[in-house]
Structures are given as structure tokens and as C-alpha cells.
Amino acid sequence: MTYEFLQNYWWILVALLGGLLVALMFVQGANIHLMNYRLDDIQKRMVLNSTGRKWELTFTTLVTFGGAFFASFPLFYSTSFGGAYWVWVLLLVTFVFQAVSYEFQNKKGNLLGAKGFRIALLANGVLAPFLVGTAVGTFFTGSRFTVDKAAIANPASPVISTWQSPWHGLEALGQGHAVLLGLTVAFLAIILGALYILNNVDDHAVRQQMRGTLKVAAIPFLLFFVAWFVILMLKDGFSVDADGVVSMEPYKYLQNFLHQRFVFILFAVGVLLVLAGLYIGVFTKHRRGFWFAFPGTVFVVMTVFFLAGFNGTAYYPSLTDLQSSLTIRNSSSSYFTLKVMSWVSLLIPFVVAYIAFAWRAMDHRKITREEIEKTGHKY
């Protein structure tokens, strides 16, 4: 296991965790229906209990994603999480609101009432996927920071990464291309949420609402995604040569796409699976579109990470100092750390198998109106 192999291996794992995180945000996408006036209170609680069985998986994946990035590429973690902290703090706050809302919204005597907590879930449902998508979008637009590794030897100010914008991450909202990806992920979460509820809740009115949501959300999702992808293929990219020197290169991401056949295949399969899930949900009476769109989402998000980091590309470009841009090579942990973590990562298949088993056990029976009206253990 060479150092380069381990760096690539951990970038693939980070990409996989990023893909799973976005796919699991169907929880956020489904919760927008808690404010749907066409659903009565029992139907809203059916949606709530459907997502309530899975929200811990999304939050745990978010934490694991951040932990994996910190352990394998600590310079990115210190630069982004230490500099663009308003984005990450806002994201974590919305997840805290989510956890509290599930637990307390239907308890007697709560101060905000059920509607107040449902508004908090709605905020999480909109902001969380949008912020994650916009943050990943800066992998291609760049951010304003500088990196000076020699500063670690300065006892007066041992700060390696310095953020150069007073907005500390919120300036990404002014980068149109990054915002396009944020909007794409937000509408993708809505689509995945509708497909999941369609599969998991046994109620005719709820299913009709989910199919209606799919028809409405599909159009902006496709428009935002196509616009983001076309711009990406045409824009200049941040290229890294053999000596680690970063420079701008025309059509860099198009070249990455064409020169990495496995990325092209993975992207094509992912897009086809997402479109198949949409087609099943909108144009057929079947309810299993989620099981096409979910893995398709994972594959597409993984290709986004591969386009950003592989084939001699700076995955976190600096707009202030081009040579401060982060690459897989200059931002990773040591060989020893990556090697030890790689042995630990062999446990991942067992964890995935346990999640699949628990998921199947929870979803073995569809959620019905009778369950919500009669069962004591519910959100």
C-alpha cells in the first residue's frame, strides 16, 4: 500500500460517505410535507413517523463524513471548518433543531406547539441539503483562504490556514455556480423524500401528494442540475502538475470527465438510475422508484468528488493564493495514519450490513393510519 494508493483510497471513501449523506437527506426532503395543508394531522404524523425511523442515519452519516475528512485530510478540515464556520455551524444547528423537534413536538405542554417544531423540521429540510450542496459547490468555484504550513513553527501564531473573507463561508451564497449545486441537492432531497414516503406509507391520499410533488420538483431539479453540469464542463479548472504547482486550465473538468472512464460510467449509471426512479414515481403505479434513485444519487455524488479531486486537480481551490489550494496530495494525513485507518475501514461492510438489516426490520410493515391512531410508540 503506497502513500499515493492510500490517499486515493481515502478520497474514494470520503466520496462514498458524501454520496450516502446526500442520498439519506430524503429525510429532510420528506419533512417539507409536514406543512402540506392537503394532508390532515394523522397523515402528517404518518410522514413524520416514516422519516423519524431514519433521521439518526442521516445525522450519523454527517458526523462520520466530517470525521473521515478530518482524519484523512486534516488540512481541509482545519481550513474549511475553521474558516467557513458559519456554513457548518448553521448546518449543525438545523440538525439539532431536527432532533429536538422529533422528540418534543407531540409531547403535552411543549412551549412551541406541534406547528412550531414542524417549522423547525421544515427549516432543516430546506437548509440542510442546500448548505451541503453549496459547500461542495465551492470545490469548483474556490474560496478565499491562504495556507502556510511553516506557520506551525511560529509559537506566537501557529495558524496554518487563514480565511480571508469576513463572511466566513457565507460568501459562497454569492457564487452562482455553487448555489446552483445547492439548489440541485435541495430539490433532489425533495424527490428522494417523496419516493421514500411513496414506498413506505400505505395511504392513498399521501401517495397522491407524493406523486404530485415528484411532478413539480422534477422540473427545477433537472434544470438546475443540467445548468450546473454544463457550466462545469465549460469552465476553467484548477490543475496541479507533478511538482504540485497549481494553475488554471481551460475545460479542466471536461477533461477529467473524458480521461477517467470509470467516472464517466459511474456518472452515466447514476443519472440513469435517478431518472428511472423519477419515471417510476411519476408515470407508473409502482412504488419502488426510491430503490433506483437512492443508489443513483450515491453514484452521481461520488463522481462529483472524483471530478474535483482526481486527475491532477485541486479539490479545494484558493482564490486568494492559487498555490494555497488543497489537493489530495498536499492535504492528507501521514502514511502511518492512513494505513492504520485503512485497516479499521475493513469493518465498514459489517456496519453497512447491520444498517441494511435494521432498515429492513423497520420497514417490513408499511405505515398505516391505524398504526398512528392506535400505537403508543410514535412521534
Side-chain angles (χ1 to χ4, degrees):
M1 292 189 292
T2 65
Y3 193 23
E4 182 178 351
F5 167 82
L6 290 172
Q7 290 170 324
N8 292 339
Y9 172 75
W10 274 98
W11 187 253
I12 292 172
L13 286 185
V14 167
L16 175 60
L17 288 170
L20 288 172
L21 173 61
V22 173
L24 286 169
M25 282 189 169
F26 71 84
V27 171
Q28 277 68 32
N31 281 341
I32 67 168
H33 289 284
L34 296 178
M35 304 302 292
N36 188 338
Y37 69 90
R38 292 186 177 90
L39 300 178
D40 62 32
D41 188 66
I42 295 296
Q43 290 166 336
K44 291 178 181 179
R45 294 195 69 176
M46 292 169 72
V47 172
L48 182 69
N49 280 266
S50 180
T51 60
R53 298 175 180 179
K54 300 295 187 303
W55 76 267
E56 292 97 335
L57 295 179
T58 310
F59 186 76
T60 302
T61 305
L62 173 65
V63 174
T64 306
F65 172 73
F69 233 142
F70 168 72
S72 54
F73 300 96
L75 192 52
F76 167 78
Y77 193 89
S78 65
T79 301
S80 182
F81 286 71
Y85 52 76
W86 281 123
V87 173
W88 304 113
V89 167
L90 185 58
L91 179 65
L92 290 175
V93 166
T94 65
F95 272 97
V96 171
F97 284 167
Q98 180 195 55
V100 173
S101 297
Y102 273 113
E103 183 65 26
F104 291 103
Q105 69 172 280
N106 287 304
K107 287 189 179 297
K108 294 182 179 180
N110 74 71
L111 297 176
L112 299 179
K115 186 174 182 179
F117 284 113
R118 288 177 180 177
I119 291 175
L121 285 175
L122 175 64
N124 173 254
V126 174
L127 285 176
F130 174 74
L131 290 173
V132 168
T134 304
V136 173
T138 61
F139 284 9
F140 304 98
T141 59
S143 300
R144 298 192 177 279
F145 63 89
T146 57
V147 174
D148 180 14
K149 293 185 178 180
I152 194 67
N154 182 1
S157 181
V159 179
I160 296 176
S161 304
T162 304
W163 203 261
Q164 300 297 323
S165 169
W167 293 96
H168 290 286
L170 295 180
E171 68 275 3
L173 299 177
Q175 299 175 344
H177 192 234
V179 171
L180 275 177
L181 186 58
L183 292 171
T184 300
V185 175
F187 279 98
L188 176 59
I190 292 172
I191 289 170
L192 291 171
L195 288 171
Y196 178 73
I197 298 301
L198 187 65
N199 177 258
N200 189 241
V201 174
D202 190 9
D203 183 90
H204 178 72
V206 173
R207 293 200 298 268
Q208 289 297 105
Q209 286 299 307
M210 296 307 111
R211 294 192 192 279
T213 297
L214 290 173
K215 294 176 182 178
V216 173
I219 296 175
F221 163 69
L222 292 173
L223 290 176
F224 289 136
F225 176 70
V226 171
W228 176 83
F229 185 74
V230 170
I231 293 173
L232 180 67
M233 293 296 101
L234 297 178
K235 75 188 301 289
D236 294 348
F238 300 82
S239 180
V240 186
D241 63 19
D243 297 322
V245 178
V246 182
S247 60
M248 300 304 297
E249 182 176 336
Y251 306 109
K252 173 59 177 172
Y253 301 108
L254 176 60
Q255 295 181 50
N256 287 359
F257 199 67
L258 297 177
H259 292 168
Q260 302 177 95
R261 184 173 299 178
F262 76 97
V263 174
F264 178 83
I265 295 173
L266 190 67
F267 177 81
V269 172
V271 169
L272 288 175
L273 286 173
V274 172
L275 292 177
L278 258 176
Y279 178 84
I280 292 171
V282 173
F283 297 105
T284 75
K285 294 183 179 180
H286 297 290
R287 299 164 57 186
R288 295 188 174 273
F290 178 79
W291 300 112
F292 290 85
F294 186 92
T297 298
V298 176
F299 293 161
V300 172
V301 174
M302 289 182 70
T303 63
V304 170
F305 276 81
F306 295 159
L307 289 173
F310 285 154
N311 196 39
T313 311
Y315 72 84
Y316 203 49
S318 171
L319 299 177
T320 303
D321 173 24
L322 208 56
Q323 303 314 313
S324 292
S325 300
L326 303 187
T327 70
I328 294 175
R329 306 291 172 243
N330 69 14
S331 64
S332 69
S333 293
S334 66
Y335 173 80
F336 175 77
T337 301
L338 293 180
K339 185 176 181 179
V340 171
M341 292 195 309
S342 296
W343 287 111
V344 176
S345 72
L346 297 179
L347 297 174
I348 291 177
F350 298 97
V351 177
V352 172
Y354 170 76
I355 292 174
F357 174 80
W359 187 306
R360 182 176 177 82
M362 286 187 288
D363 284 4
H364 180 66
R365 296 176 59 185
K366 306 300 181 186
I367 293 179
T368 63
R369 178 178 289 269
E370 290 74 18
E371 178 183 347
I372 301 301
E373 290 176 337
K374 299 178 181 178
T375 305
H377 300 286
K378 56 181 179 289
Y379 288 106

